[in-house]
Amino acid sequence: MPVFRIAHISDTHFSIWPNKQHWFEAFSQNPRSTLKNFRNRNIADYPSGYSPEVAEHAARKLFELRDEIDMVVLTGDVATVGDNRCLRVAREFTHSPVESGWLNAKDLPTLQASAKGKPLVIIPGNHDRFKDEACEPNGERFDRFYEDVWPTPAHYVHHVEANKEGQGLLCISVDFCLRSISDAGGPIDASYYYMGRGKAYRDAVGRIVERTLELRAKNPSTAVFWSMHFPPTDRVSPSLRLVDFDLVSDAAADNSIPVILAGHLHEEAVFYTTRNTPILCAGSLTTFGQAQSFSIVEFNVNGGRIDSCRRVILRMDHKKGEFAFGGRELIFGAR
């Protein structure tokens, strides 16, 4: 029974504004951090960007773990805004060729040091769909930058497969980003309602169910899990909630999906749908001014089933200058 190891990363927020944090997020932190960012002029009136220093530490740690990783899943918000400039920075991290170790020809970090030759999942998040700094939804530039890993945007669903020791593991991903501001619900003049929300559109839910049934029929011995940006739960702030999340809860339970990988919240957390499907949320990998982390999710796969699920969390330790062990969790199954 092989163990598949998934590098689950999320919310990288690459941008042309490195080392900048939105003033609202800065004020939500402790006074000491807020004062430090003001003194260093790290406060901005646009979405928070990323830390280049942490991006290099992340690429290095993933490079060190490369022989243990069977699949890389990036659950959205690759860029902080979905314009050409920010997506270009994101694409350089996710796809630029390796020159030496975990660095590209410009001595910048690249995910390809650990992901090349392995199934790579990159899902659009709400920030990737922002058309510009005004953060209006339904931008389409992500689809052009990432057509190699998100090739059918109009169908809202994509899948990749990993194989190991005669067993298969399928990751089926879905895009629940808003298609219009009015779909966010709540007062449309309150920006946080549409900036942080997604919606479980019935056609997209139908597509992921259809893809699941189709792929299982072709190969019943291949195990399946789902991935998406927004965690389908009501245990989050209303401003970050997936509208109609119960549609996903029902679909996952009715189709025996054992686990869902998600992001969006910038914290390593475990939630459960209203029908008890576990949701593993990854923290932000590189967002400036916040705690940075990622996880290695381990699946024991046996004849089309995921018999057990564990994860190891790695957190950025700025004193040590590296991503260090941050805990191990058993999600379900035997130890």
Side-chain angles (χ1 to χ4, degrees), residues 113-133:
S114 54
K116 187 176 181 181
K118 300 170 185 176
L120 174 61
V121 177
I122 299 182
I123 308 164
N126 52 307
H127 280 258
D128 300 312
R129 293 295 187 197
F130 290 162
K131 294 179 181 178
D132 50 34
E133 294 170 48

Side-chain angles (χ1 to χ4, degrees), residues 90-299:
R91 178 80 187 189
E92 182 160 50
F93 177 80
T94 59
H95 280 80
S96 61
V98 178
E99 179 71 17
S100 176
W102 55 91
L103 302 175
N104 64 17
K106 300 178 184 177
D107 284 335
L108 295 174
T110 173
L111 189 61
Q112 288 298 303
S114 54
K116 187 176 181 181
K118 300 170 185 176
L120 174 61
V121 177
I122 299 182
I123 308 164
N126 52 307
H127 280 258
D128 300 312
R129 293 295 187 197
F130 290 162
K131 294 179 181 178
D132 50 34
E133 294 170 48
C135 301
E136 292 187 11
N138 205 31
E140 299 178 349
R141 296 185 184 93
F142 176 91
D143 304 323
R144 295 195 293 272
F145 272 83
Y146 284 102
E147 62 182 353
D148 51 346
V149 291
W150 192 256
T152 53
H155 295 163
Y156 310 114
V157 170
H158 185 55
H159 72 272
V160 303
E161 181 176 355
N163 293 281
K164 188 176 185 179
E165 300 175 23
Q167 302 286 333
L169 178 67
L170 275 165
C171 174
I172 308 180
S173 307
V174 62
D175 178 8
F176 287 139
C177 294
L178 290 181
R179 302 175 195 173
S180 71
I181 291 176
S182 60
D183 290 341
I188 62 173
D189 58 339
S191 62
Y192 58 85
Y193 269 94
Y194 75 85
M195 288 175 65
R197 280 189 165 188
K199 181 173 181 177
Y201 294 94
R202 289 184 179 275
D203 58 346
V205 175
R207 293 277 187 180
I208 195 170
V209 170
E210 180 182 297
R211 184 72 59 91
T212 300
L213 295 174
E214 173 190 333
L215 293 171
R216 279 178 168 164
K218 287 182 178 179
N219 192 349
S221 64
T222 299
V224 175
F225 70 96
W226 286 356
S227 65
M228 57 197 67
H229 180 62
F230 304 92
T233 176
D234 62 351
R235 303 296 183 185
V236 301
S237 164
S239 63
L240 300 176
R241 193 168 297 167
L242 180 69
V243 178
D244 294 336
F245 61 88
D246 275 337
L247 294 178
V248 183
S249 177
D250 289 341
D254 292 345
N255 290 277
S256 302
I257 300 303
V259 66
I260 295 170
L261 301 191
H264 189 48
L265 304 180
H266 293 206
E267 62 175 305
E268 299 282 349
V270 180
F271 298 100
Y272 290 85
T273 68
T274 50
R275 293 183 61 184
N276 295 318
T277 302
I279 308 163
L280 307 188
C281 286
S284 169
L285 184 69
T286 54
T287 301
F288 177 77
Q290 300 184 11
Q292 298 104 0
S293 64
F294 72 96
S295 57
I296 302 296
V297 180
E298 301 177 345
F299 293 136

